[in-house]
Amino acid sequence: IGFGDDLTLLSANMEFVYKFTTRRDWNIYAGGGPALNVVMVNDNSDTDAGLNILVGVEQRRGMFFEFKLGAIDSPDFKFGVGYTWRD
C-alpha cells in the first residue's frame, strides 16, 4: 500500500526469488515477477499490470531488507524492511 499526493496505490506481487546461500549470518537473494497495481486518485481508479525486479539481504534470524525496481506500470522504486518468523 502506498499513499501521497491524493493518490493511493494497492499492489499485489507474485515474485520468485533465488537465494544465494553463504556461511555468513546474512544471505543475498534476487528475483522478480508480475504485479497487479490498483491506482486510486480522488474518486477514479485504474488497474494496471506491472513487473518487479528485486534484490535483498536476509539475516538467518529473520530480519530482511529488500529493494525493488518496477517496469511497465509498476512504481519505479520500492524499499522494504521486514521480519520473518521461523519455527
Side-chain angles (χ1 to χ4, degrees):
I1 300 176
F3 302 98
D5 294 334
D6 295 324
L7 181 136
T8 302
L9 169 69
L10 298 174
S11 182
N13 305 303
M14 186 175 68
E15 295 153 344
F16 302 93
V17 298
Y18 179 81
K19 295 184 178 187
F20 302 94
T21 56
T22 64
R23 295 180 186 214
R24 299 202 163 106
D25 193 35
W26 289 88
N27 291 316
I28 298 172
Y29 61 92
L36 179 65
N37 302 303
V38 179
V39 179
M40 293 173 277
V41 180
N42 299 326
D43 292 332
N44 299 323
S45 67
D46 189 26
T47 304
D48 297 312
L51 179 68
N52 294 315
I53 299 168
L54 67 94
V55 65
V57 292
E58 66 178 350
Q59 188 180 38
R60 291 187 194 274
R61 290 183 220 118
M63 181 78 166
F64 67 90
F65 300 91
E66 191 170 88
F67 303 91
K68 293 183 186 180
L69 296 176
I72 307 174
D73 284 325
S74 282
D76 294 336
F77 177 77
K78 292 184 257 182
F79 172 73
V81 177
Y83 188 86
T84 302
W85 281 269
R86 298 179 183 167
D87 292 331

